[in-house]
Amino acid sequence: MRSLPTRRLAAVALTAAASVVALAGPAFAHVTVNPGAAAQGGYTAVDFRVPNESDAAGTVKLEVNLPLDHPLASVRTLPLPGWTAAVEKAKLDKPIKVHGSDVNEAVSKITWTADAGTKIAPGQFQEFRVSIGPLPSDADSMVFKTLQTYDNGDVVRWIDESKDGQPEPAHPAPVLKLTKAAAGEDAHGGVTASPSAGAHGDSSDHAAAPAGAKTSDSTARVLGVVGIVVGVIGTAVGVLGLRRRSSGSAS
């Protein structure tokens, strides 16, 4: 009969650990922009990383909206086999100056559509690469509201903006953090796209890979979850050890 409380404690520990993993799992499946940060005023290449969250349907379309409050003069997509990229432009209320020239329109949306027989299947993810710039110098982030369409007609709207001090929304929009350029580094430090590129999405132009290793909030989330699970299991093991010692002393 002494083993019953021990079994109960073990069951509670395992249930708690499983619950933590289950609750954290969906957070890993957000649509994200990678790398998650770039220097203000420069050019860069980013990947929109799209995981398939459905167990019964595949992703066949991705729509990424580019913010027009900080328009980008140069937007170019990297060709992706099995997918067709199309861009939409919008007239700017106020022209922006880029390398001494006025730019009156900018790309407002990029849509990738899967060709016949292509999709992001359950358990898979896909990256859609774009070179962009120059990045704004008067903002600390850019939000790219995104729509993900499945072949069963479901649409997931990744458009919620995260706010400091509040829990992360269920469907957060991908965010690119903008950082100050390092001292002595010009706005093109780590440049991965040609400054002379026009404001269009010509898929024949290959954007270079992002400088440095890719990073993602997912890594931090995974480590955090692992730490919590290990802590729960460790606590349970400690309690079991104390109970066994107490039982041994009593006998």
Side-chain angles (χ1 to χ4, degrees):
M1 294 299 293
R2 288 179 180 176
S3 63
L4 185 57
T6 298
R7 291 175 181 174
R8 286 178 178 173
L9 283 172
V12 169
L14 292 175
T15 301
S19 298
V20 170
V21 173
L23 289 173
F28 302 157
H30 297 342
V31 173
T32 57
V33 57
N34 297 278
Q40 294 176 340
Y43 291 76
T44 191
V46 297
D47 293 314
F48 289 97
R49 186 173 298 165
V50 182
N52 195 88
E53 294 186 305
S54 174
D55 293 330
T59 298
V60 292
K61 186 166 71 171
L62 181 73
E63 301 168 74
V64 176
N65 292 277
L66 281 64
L68 290 179
D69 54 343
H70 293 289
L72 297 168
S74 175
V75 176
R76 295 173 182 265
T77 60
L78 182 70
L80 181 62
W83 295 80
T84 300
V87 300
E88 295 180 22
K89 300 178 183 179
K91 288 288 185 181
L92 301 177
D93 295 333
K94 181 180 179 181
I96 57 174
K97 285 281 188 182
V98 179
H99 304 297
S101 300
D102 286 339
V103 175
N104 297 298
E105 64 178 11
V107 174
S108 58
K109 183 167 73 171
I110 308 173
T111 301
W112 284 270
T113 304
D115 299 339
T118 299
K119 64 181 178 180
I120 307 174
Q124 298 180 346
F125 75 94
Q126 181 62 62
E127 292 182 334
F128 300 83
R129 178 165 294 186
V130 184
S131 68
I132 55 177
L135 300 173
S137 299
D138 58 349
D140 56 11
S141 66
M142 297 186 73
V143 179
F144 299 89
K145 296 185 177 183
T146 301
L147 273 63
Q148 179 181 10
T149 301
Y150 288 86
D151 55 11
N152 64 357
D154 290 346
V155 177
V156 180
R157 299 168 62 83
W158 301 97
I159 62 173
D160 299 329
E161 297 190 38
S162 301
K163 296 182 179 180
D164 293 338
Q166 296 186 10
E168 185 178 61
H171 298 97
V175 177
L176 176 65
K177 299 292 185 181
L178 301 179
T179 60
K180 297 288 185 182
E185 180 183 6
D186 62 21
H188 296 89
V191 62
T192 57
S194 170
S196 62
H200 55 78
D202 186 353
S203 62
S204 64
D205 294 312
H206 291 247
K214 296 179 181 178
T215 58
S216 173
D217 290 341
S218 295
T219 301
R221 292 191 181 117
V222 170
L223 292 176
V225 171
V226 171
I228 293 172
V229 173
V230 171
V232 170
I233 295 176
T235 300
V237 171
V239 171
L240 293 175
L242 289 174
R243 292 184 64 86
R244 287 175 180 173
R245 290 178 184 176
S246 298
S247 298
S249 298
S251 63

